[in-house]
Amino acid sequence: MNKNDLKPAVVFAEFAKINEIPRPSKREEKMIEYLKSWGESHNLDTKVDETGNVIIRKPATKGMENCKTVILQSHMDMVCDKLVDVEFDFDKDAIKTYVDGEWLTAEGTTLGADDGIGCAIELAILASDDIQHGPIECVFTRDEETGLSGAEGMKAGFMTGDYLINLDSEDEGEIFVSCAGGRNTTAKFTFQRQQAAEGSFFMKAQLKGLVGGHSGDDINKKRANAIKILARFLYQEMNRYEGIQLAQFHSGKLHNAIPRDGQFVIAVPHDVKENVKADWNVFAAEVEDEFHVTDTQMVWSMESTDAEPVIDPAVAKNFVWAVQAVDNGIYAICQDEELGGMVETSSNIASIHSTENAIEILSSQRSNVMSNLDNMCATIRAAFQLAGAEATSGDGYPAWKMKANSELQKIVRESYVKLFGKEPVVRGIHAGLECGLFSERYPQLDMVSFGPTLRYVHTPDERLLIPTVQMVWDHLLDVLKNIPQK
């Protein structure tokens, strides 16, 4: 298979154009202008709200004018991550894609299928003149990945439809009917640097090659977190030997990604440097064995490095102890039987970076139960506050609760069974979807979410399973054809 054979061709043609447009979160101006121009050039009612969300309306085909209005919704921004040795400017460069078997992926960067493929499906429907549908509103929100600020800023009345189909899911054959709410918690240790003890030997340790992934959808897959692993080694060594001092700690980039790599710089007494190197090798083997299924490409290194001022030893100890102690991963499983053992509450330590006088920590908490989200955030804050850090939690976004007796869910499920001869999986998702915010602003909306299969989103390994795009396309067109009258 090559790129010229991708089906449906109209969807992949739109996706290729989208991937030529820089669209990092919070910097989607070029994409907004593209969508606005696209809608106007097709003589469709096109509007941009004050937040930067775009809506393009398409009238019903003949005979379906009295059907309920369907909103198709996706987000225009993308997570921007790349391999460390790849030169790429996400503000200027086009994503370079290639076909790998049945998968479409990118050359050393995130693919942007989350949620560029949803945007492409919407544009393909707007461009098509051979499909049946009632009135359609195609909505493209901005800044979903770093805080859902596009959906947060959307005012009531911007959308006017009866049903909403979110195209930001990552498992074909699964229909999502609820999602987790989320908040970020930050912590900050401040200090004055000082000179390392006389005779210290400086060492830089690096870990890379972890799988990483989405901090919501992949939190239950027992993937390694680079921050927790590096802090674990530091905790072990600082308990084992006197006089180890921390100079730097860096790991992670994004609040919604499991960190894939990281490094620290330490000063150690000269007489234990060989012991530390030996411990590192033993530790690496033990951790690789722990994650022998999920993370098979770990790369470990430790080498000497230049001397530099170190972090106040008391602060460094408190920092390492706190990161060792803080909750990370699954905290609770949903009690509702219809949600099938889905993760209810979790936390991900997402990034830590040291500066001249501070260590800054970013973490992400998620839950389908808002009281337990508050509890999880308090648990994370308390761990860092006990260690002497300043810690705060943001406002976050709400959960989307499953709607009882959903008309749209019934239509979507029956369509799937008719087309593919099997039952879809109807469930909630632990990741955050903009449906949670829509449910607050538009409480009357009947919503579902589905999409083609994606893997390793939010990482440079992101890939799209090509045949599932055709399946989603066929499914969506059949749903649109069977929307009831008002």
Side-chain angles (χ1 to χ4, degrees):
M1 185 185 295
N2 61 55
K3 285 197 280 188
N4 294 328
D5 299 324
L6 300 181
K7 305 291 183 185
V10 63
V11 174
F12 280 100
E14 295 292 350
F15 184 54
K17 293 174 186 175
I18 288 169
N19 267 348
E20 294 177 0
I21 304 166
R23 49 200 167 92
S25 299
K26 300 190 186 299
R27 303 194 300 280
E28 306 96 337
E29 287 76 15
K30 292 178 181 177
M31 186 64 179
I32 293 168
E33 183 55 38
Y34 174 78
L35 291 168
K36 183 173 181 290
S37 298
W38 192 101
E40 291 172 347
S41 69
H42 286 76
N43 298 313
L44 296 172
D45 179 22
T46 304
K47 291 183 172 57
V48 182
D49 71 7
E50 60 188 36
T51 302
N53 303 307
V54 179
I55 189 167
I56 305 175
R57 293 184 171 90
K58 185 179 182 183
T61 54
K62 187 175 181 180
M64 299 189 71
E65 294 86 355
N66 292 326
C67 291
K68 292 186 176 183
T69 299
V70 176
I71 303 164
L72 304 178
Q73 184 266 323
S74 53
H75 65 83
M76 67 181 81
D77 61 317
M78 65 174 284
V79 168
C80 298
D81 195 11
K82 67 182 185 67
L83 298 175
V84 293
D85 55 351
V86 170
E87 291 189 11
F88 193 90
D89 187 341
F90 282 101
D91 288 310
K92 297 178 181 178
D93 299 337
I95 303 294
K96 298 177 182 178
T97 64
Y98 67 95
V99 175
D100 180 12
E102 290 192 315
W103 297 87
L104 185 69
T105 189
E107 297 180 10
T109 70
T110 38
L111 174 63
D114 175 16
D115 187 22
I117 195 64
C119 295
I121 290 171
E122 288 189 64
L123 293 178
I125 285 174
L126 290 170
S128 298
D129 56 10
D130 58 351
I131 62 177
Q132 294 177 266
H133 58 79
I136 291 175
E137 296 181 348
C138 285
V139 174
F140 308 84
T141 51
R142 72 179 306 176
D143 190 30
E144 186 268 352
E145 298 288 4
T146 62
L148 293 91
S149 64
E152 175 67 36
M154 184 187 296
K155 292 182 178 177
F158 185 65
M159 304 187 295
T160 62
D162 305 284
Y163 298 142
L164 185 144
I165 300 174
N166 169 277
L167 296 169
D168 188 25
S169 297
E170 298 159 11
D171 292 279
E172 191 286 321
E174 298 188 354
I175 300 167
F176 296 94
V177 296
S178 72
C179 74
R183 298 170 71 186
N184 288 343
T185 296
T186 60
K188 184 176 182 179
F189 292 88
T190 57
F191 53 82
Q192 294 297 318
R193 289 189 176 266
Q194 59 188 54
Q195 295 302 310
E198 189 174 347
S200 294
F201 185 83
F202 278 78
M203 309 171 78
K204 178 166 73 173
Q206 293 182 301
L207 171 61
K208 61 182 181 178
L210 278 59
V211 172
H214 190 291
S215 63
D217 205 32
D218 296 323
I219 201 72
N220 63 338
K221 296 182 173 65
K222 201 186 181 296
R223 294 179 183 172
N225 180 310
I227 288 172
K228 290 291 286 185
I229 290 174
L230 293 174
R232 176 175 158 186
F233 179 77
L234 287 172
Y235 179 78
Q236 169 188 292
E237 298 302 282
M238 292 169 76
N239 274 293
R240 188 170 289 175
Y241 308 110
E242 293 286 340
I244 292 180
Q245 298 175 285
L246 180 65
Q248 292 185 32
F249 193 109
H250 297 285
S251 182
K253 301 179 182 71
L254 305 164
H255 80 98
N256 51 8
I258 301 168
R260 296 160 46 95
D261 50 53
Q263 67 177 43
F264 61 74
V265 173
I266 52 175
V268 304
H270 202 274
D271 60 349
V272 302
K273 67 175 184 178
E274 296 303 326
N275 296 26
V276 172
K277 289 180 182 178
D279 291 347
W280 177 255
N281 292 332
V282 171
F283 180 78
E286 292 173 345
V287 171
E288 286 179 358
D289 184 59
E290 286 180 29
F291 296 95
H292 69 279
V293 174
T294 58
D295 293 81
T296 60
Q297 304 296 321
M298 291 185 179
V299 179
W300 306 73
S301 65
M302 180 174 277
E303 60 187 7
S304 61
T305 190
D306 295 337
E308 60 180 282
V310 297
I311 296 166
D312 180 316
V315 174
K317 178 181 177 180
N318 286 347
F319 158 71
V320 171
W321 264 239
V323 179
Q324 172 67 35
V326 75
D327 257 306
N328 193 78
I330 298 171
Y331 180 78
I333 299 294
C334 285
Q335 299 180 48
D336 299 296
E337 289 185 8
E338 59 266 35
L339 294 179
M342 184 182 79
V343 177
E344 177 212 274
T345 306
S346 73
S347 182
N348 175 62
I349 304 300
S351 72
I352 296 180
H353 293 285
S354 58
T355 63
E356 180 64 27
N357 297 113
I359 302 173
E360 298 179 349
I361 300 153
L362 173 63
S363 64
S364 174
Q365 290 74 53
R366 303 175 187 267
S367 184
N368 288 61
V369 179
M370 298 309 287
S371 60
N372 216 7
L373 178 61
D374 291 341
N375 176 48
M376 187 79 260
C377 292
T379 299
I380 303 303
R381 288 198 308 274
F384 288 113
Q385 288 166 338
L386 282 169
E390 296 179 6
T392 59
S393 297
D395 294 332
Y397 53 90
W400 164 32
K401 293 186 181 297
M402 185 168 56
K403 183 181 181 69
N405 303 314
S406 164
E407 255 185 7
L408 180 58
Q409 180 183 322
K410 183 175 183 289
I411 295 166
V412 170
R413 188 195 67 79
E414 290 178 350
S415 170
Y416 192 89
V417 172
K418 178 181 68 177
L419 288 174
F420 306 117
K422 59 181 180 179
E423 285 281 350
V425 176
V426 179
R427 71 178 187 91
I429 188 171
H430 190 56
L433 292 172
E434 291 157 299
C435 297
L437 286 163
F438 297 148
S439 67
E440 284 195 331
R441 207 69 44 82
Y442 300 87
Q444 81 287 353
L445 268 182
D446 194 351
M447 299 183 284
V448 300
S449 177
F450 60 85
T453 297
L454 295 170
R455 290 294 177 262
Y456 309 116
V457 296
H458 300 179
T459 81
D461 295 324
E462 180 186 355
R463 52 190 51 223
L464 168 66
L465 187 56
I466 295 164
T468 64
V469 180
Q470 183 71 60
M471 295 176 72
V472 169
W473 177 254
D474 292 342
H475 186 200
L476 185 56
L477 295 195
D478 189 71
V479 168
L480 293 175
K481 187 168 60 175
N482 288 284
I483 295 297
Q485 292 192 350
K486 296 179 181 178

